[in-house]
Each structure stands twice: as structure tokens, then as C-alpha cells.
Amino acid sequence: MEKKRNVSMAVIRRLPKYHRYLQELMKNDVDRISSKELSEKIGFTASQIRQDLNCFGDFGQQGYGYNVKDLYNEISLILGLGNEYNTVIIGAGNIGQAIANYSNFDKLGFKLNAIFDVNPKLIGLKIRDVEILDIDNLDQFLKNNKIDLGVICVTRTNAQSICDILIKNEVKGIWNFAPVDLHAPEDVKVENVHLSESLLTLTYLLNGRR
Amino acid sequence: MEKKRNVSMAVIRRLPKYHRYLQELMKNDVDRISSKELSEKIGFTASQIRQDLNCFGDFGQQGYGYNVKDLYNEISLILGLGNEYNTVIIGAGNIGQAIANYSNFDKLGFKLNAIFDVNPKLIGLKIRDVEILDIDNLDQFLKNNKIDLGVICVTRTNAQSICDILIKNEVKGIWNFAPVDLHAPEDVKVENVHLSESLLTLTYLLNGRR
């Protein structure tokens, strides 16, 4: 079904939202939904919804709408869910610990293999049965274990050197919480969560300058 | 200087990034920079940089470029920095605690006034000298204290009711970490950090479907 053609990042960023709303509909035992009804819930126009979903296949049916469960399953597949992602977290500070503790990520297929930190007080402790290891062992750990995803929760100044170790060891996905733009080759996918930038967007809006 | 005209969200979302790069340049004692040099660092085109900054004033000078410190100060003002934002966090779970512990937000002007939770085991504890209060007292607390920003770190199912209490008590900024789209009137600004959606964007890209 899937067309796999060049899809814009804007469309891609909307997919998880479709996924979330469809999950909600399934919970509420809704079997089918028109693009118009979906539009009222999700806040995109019906035409945008049809366009977005058409990037990946012909999911809707004129006069019927979308089968909620089928569409949910298709979008799950498109998003790469159903796979297992071996994951390490680097940096066991506030954010690193929060991510490690977030059990929802397990359900999405993320298996936390190890956590790394420099702080001797943290090394050896466990978060949800996963040990915090010495960051000096990261390189060797990655050589011994096939890891898909690295979550960078270290300081700004250390983030690129950690990123380089991940890249050298063939980690292809990086979820970056450090307030810095990382340099990575094309085949390594970096997704940033820049919390301060999100917060500053809010202060801008609060100051009524829009 | 500031033009305060209708500026697109895309431009607004780039402002904190300019702010971050200019701060970096100041740390490295760079006094002035051309849009071309800034472009090489920040990754936007020189023309985009000029366009973005022109939305707010005439900051650059032909043949000279931008004065780094002046531009930094102007952007800080535009972003609403230098003000104090009285803040409450609702939900003292993983993310709530991480945000409460993040001292960088102090520096940006966010004063944490209180944290709220339902869990009796957490109520009465302190995070960086700020007490965790019973969520049942949120409404009264907001009546007694002028709060600018509410950080919602509760579960999906409770987020809207918390949001409603904040709105009723004139809180104008909401930083939402719950995986749900909140309903709020026009004059209340909601900024979402949807971590699962960020992660699913990454799994999509990892699966090479772009």
C-alpha cells in the first residue's frame, strides 16, 4: 500500500498526531470516521487530512471514510512501530532519568539497554532495573551491543563528542535533549527536543508581540 | 525598533535559536558577524536570516553586519526575557521533577512558586526548596498568587481539567507535556512538548521511508 515517495517533514510530523487520535477513537469503539469528522477532532482541514494520508496509500473510501483500526495499523507500520529499538541513554541527570523512567516508551518498542553517566555517585545505581554505567565504557558497550537509538541528555559542551561516539559505532538514531545542534552524517537521523527554545517561544507569545 | 507586525510562527520558532547562537558568539568574544557568517553557523540561508530579523527591526548594517551584543539584547527583549515569570508545575512525576530541577529556567526568569501533585507520598516533599502541594489546593493557590505560567505534567486524562483551572484563574501561558491537545481561549498561549510524537518522528526516519 505504502508509496514511500518523498514526503515532507511537515507531513511526517503530523503522522504521530494522527496515530494518537486514531488510538483514542479505537478506545472509544469508533469503527469508521470521515475526513470531515476527523478534521473536527484533530484540527487539520479535511482536505489536508486526505492529502497527508494520500502520501502513503489509498486508505479512505468515498462515502465510507476511513476504517479506524485499519488506518491506525497502517500508520503504526509507517511510523516503524512494532519493531524493537535497542536504546541507550547518555546522561542520567534530570531529563535522562525522566526518560529512563517513562514506561510509555517500552510500549512503543524502545528497549532501554543501558544508561551512562560521568558522576561516580550515579554509576552503579539502577533505574527500572537498568544499571547506570561509567560513560568511559560507552564506546566499548556500543561495540559489544547493537544499539539503534541513543538519547543524549548530557550538557551542551559534551553532546557532540557523545554524538561522535554513537555515530562511530553505527547508531543510526539520535534523540537529542542537549541545547546544541549536532553534526551528523545524512544516514544518521537526529531529532531534537530543545526545551529552552520551546519555553522561549512561549514567553514571546505571552508578551503579545505576535 | 521593534515592528510588532504579524510574524509567522515559523519565524518565531527560529528566534530562540538565534538567541542561542548569539549567546555562543558572545562567549567566544565575537563582536560582529555578517549574515553570511551567521548562516554558516546556524544553518539557515543568509537571506532567510535577513528576512527573519527584518520582521523585528533594522538590526544589520550593510558592509558591517550585525553587532552581536546589540542583536542578542534585542532578541532577548523580543523573546520577553528580562521579565520574571511566576510559574507552577502541576504533576511531580518524572517530567515534572525534571523541569523543577532544571536550574537553567531560573536564569531565563522563571520563578518556580509551587509544585502540585495528587500523590500523598509526594505532597510535602521539596524540590529545590519548593514544596509539593496537594493538587486540591491548586485553585485556591492560584486565587491567592498571580501566576503567569503553568507547566502541565499530569496524565493525558487529567490535563484538560488542570488546564481549565489554570485558565479560570487567569494563567496566560501553558507549557503542556501531556500527550493531548488542550482547549484554551485565544488569549491563553499553549506550547506543547509532545515527547512521544518526537520519538515517533525519529522511528519513521529510522525506517528509511522518507
Side-chain angles (χ1 to χ4, degrees):
Chain A
M1 281 292 265
E2 196 189 329
K3 288 181 182 171
K4 287 197 187 188
R5 67 189 185 198
N6 220 23
V7 180
S8 79
M9 272 310 290
V11 178
I12 295 167
R13 292 207 173 276
R14 284 194 288 272
L15 280 183
K17 194 163 168 174
Y18 287 113
H19 188 260
R20 172 156 60 83
Y21 274 83
L22 289 163
Q23 193 167 36
E24 197 69 13
L25 289 168
M26 280 168 65
K27 274 189 199 153
N28 295 326
D29 293 320
V30 178
D31 291 331
R32 68 178 192 176
I33 192 162
S34 68
S35 50
K36 188 164 168 290
E37 290 162 326
L38 191 54
S39 160
E40 280 154 20
K41 290 194 176 287
I42 205 167
F44 311 146
T45 65
S47 137
Q48 169 139 72
I49 292 172
R50 286 191 299 268
Q51 268 181 45
D52 283 354
L53 299 178
N54 269 333
C55 293
F56 302 100
D58 305 314
F59 300 124
Q61 237 180 295
Q62 193 105 38
Y64 176 88
Y66 299 102
N67 178 304
V68 171
K69 198 177 164 194
D70 288 353
L71 187 56
Y72 173 81
N73 288 337
E74 287 286 352
I75 291 182
S76 299
L77 269 180
I78 294 168
L79 286 171
L81 294 174
N83 301 330
E84 191 174 82
Y85 297 94
N86 286 303
T87 304
V88 295
I89 294 175
I90 306 101
N94 301 319
I95 289 291
Q97 288 189 26
I99 301 293
N101 273 313
Y102 202 28
S103 60
N104 200 35
F105 295 138
D106 291 5
K107 291 180 205 145
L108 293 171
F110 296 91
K111 183 172 174 271
L112 183 57
N113 292 57
I115 309 165
F116 294 87
D117 204 277
V118 282
N119 187 344
K121 285 184 190 157
L122 293 175
I123 295 165
L125 298 181
K126 284 187 173 184
I127 302 180
R128 296 172 69 233
D129 282 337
V130 179
E131 196 175 345
I132 302 177
L133 305 176
D134 188 330
I135 207 162
D136 287 344
N137 299 331
L138 174 63
D139 189 55
Q140 194 57 49
F141 185 91
L142 295 174
K143 284 187 173 49
N144 296 343
N145 299 273
K146 173 82 191 73
I147 297 298
D148 305 294
L149 183 77
V151 186
I152 297 185
C153 303
V154 299
T155 58
R156 191 179 54 76
T157 41
N158 294 320
Q160 185 64 53
S161 64
I162 295 299
C163 178
D164 293 341
I165 296 173
L166 293 170
I167 291 167
K168 196 180 72 175
N169 287 292
E170 308 269 310
V171 176
K172 295 300 183 203
I174 293 176
W175 204 23
N176 174 43
F177 286 79
V180 64
D181 297 308
L182 299 171
H183 303 284
E186 184 80 3
D187 68 326
V188 175
K189 306 301 178 190
V190 179
E191 168 75 10
N192 294 305
V193 180
H194 286 163
L195 292 178
S196 294
E197 295 188 15
S198 168
L199 193 52
L200 293 192
T201 304
L202 191 54
T203 58
Y204 174 90
L205 296 174
L206 275 178
N207 279 274
R209 290 164 191 274
R210 227 185 135 187
Chain B
M1 281 291 266
E2 196 190 327
K3 290 181 181 171
K4 286 197 186 188
R5 67 187 186 200
N6 220 21
V7 179
S8 79
M9 272 311 290
V11 178
I12 295 166
R13 293 207 172 276
R14 284 194 288 272
L15 280 183
K17 193 162 170 177
Y18 288 114
H19 188 261
R20 171 156 60 83
Y21 273 83
L22 289 164
Q23 193 168 38
E24 196 70 13
L25 289 168
M26 280 169 66
K27 275 190 200 152
N28 296 325
D29 293 322
V30 178
D31 291 332
R32 67 177 195 177
I33 192 161
S34 68
S35 51
K36 188 164 168 290
E37 289 163 326
L38 190 55
S39 159
E40 281 156 16
K41 289 194 177 289
I42 204 166
F44 310 147
T45 66
S47 136
Q48 168 138 72
I49 291 172
R50 286 192 299 268
Q51 268 181 43
D52 282 355
L53 298 178
N54 269 334
C55 293
F56 302 99
D58 304 315
F59 301 123
Q61 236 180 296
Q62 192 105 40
Y64 175 87
Y66 299 103
N67 177 302
V68 171
K69 198 177 163 193
D70 288 354
L71 187 57
Y72 173 81
N73 288 336
E74 287 285 352
I75 291 182
S76 298
L77 270 179
I78 294 168
L79 286 171
L81 294 174
N83 301 328
E84 190 173 82
Y85 296 93
N86 286 303
T87 304
V88 295
I89 294 174
I90 306 100
N94 301 319
I95 288 292
Q97 288 190 26
I99 301 293
N101 273 312
Y102 201 28
S103 60
N104 201 36
F105 294 138
D106 291 5
K107 293 179 204 145
L108 294 171
F110 295 91
K111 185 173 172 274
L112 184 57
N113 292 57
I115 309 164
F116 294 87
D117 204 278
V118 280
N119 187 343
K121 285 185 190 156
L122 293 175
I123 294 165
L125 297 182
K126 283 185 174 185
I127 301 179
R128 296 173 70 233
D129 283 337
V130 179
E131 196 174 344
I132 301 176
L133 306 175
D134 189 329
I135 208 161
D136 286 344
N137 300 330
L138 174 63
D139 189 54
Q140 194 57 50
F141 184 91
L142 295 174
K143 284 186 174 48
N144 297 342
N145 298 274
K146 171 83 192 73
I147 296 297
D148 306 294
L149 183 77
V151 187
I152 296 185
C153 304
V154 299
T155 58
R156 192 178 55 78
T157 40
N158 293 320
Q160 185 63 53
S161 64
I162 295 299
C163 179
D164 292 341
I165 297 174
L166 293 170
I167 292 167
K168 196 179 71 175
N169 288 291
E170 308 270 311
V171 176
K172 294 300 182 202
I174 293 176
W175 204 22
N176 174 42
F177 286 80
V180 63
D181 298 308
L182 299 171
H183 304 285
E186 184 80 2
D187 67 327
V188 174
K189 305 301 177 189
V190 179
E191 168 75 9
N192 294 304
V193 181
H194 287 162
L195 292 177
S196 295
E197 295 188 16
S198 168
L199 193 53
L200 293 192
T201 304
L202 191 55
T203 57
Y204 174 90
L205 296 174
L206 275 177
N207 279 274
R209 289 166 192 272
R210 229 186 134 188

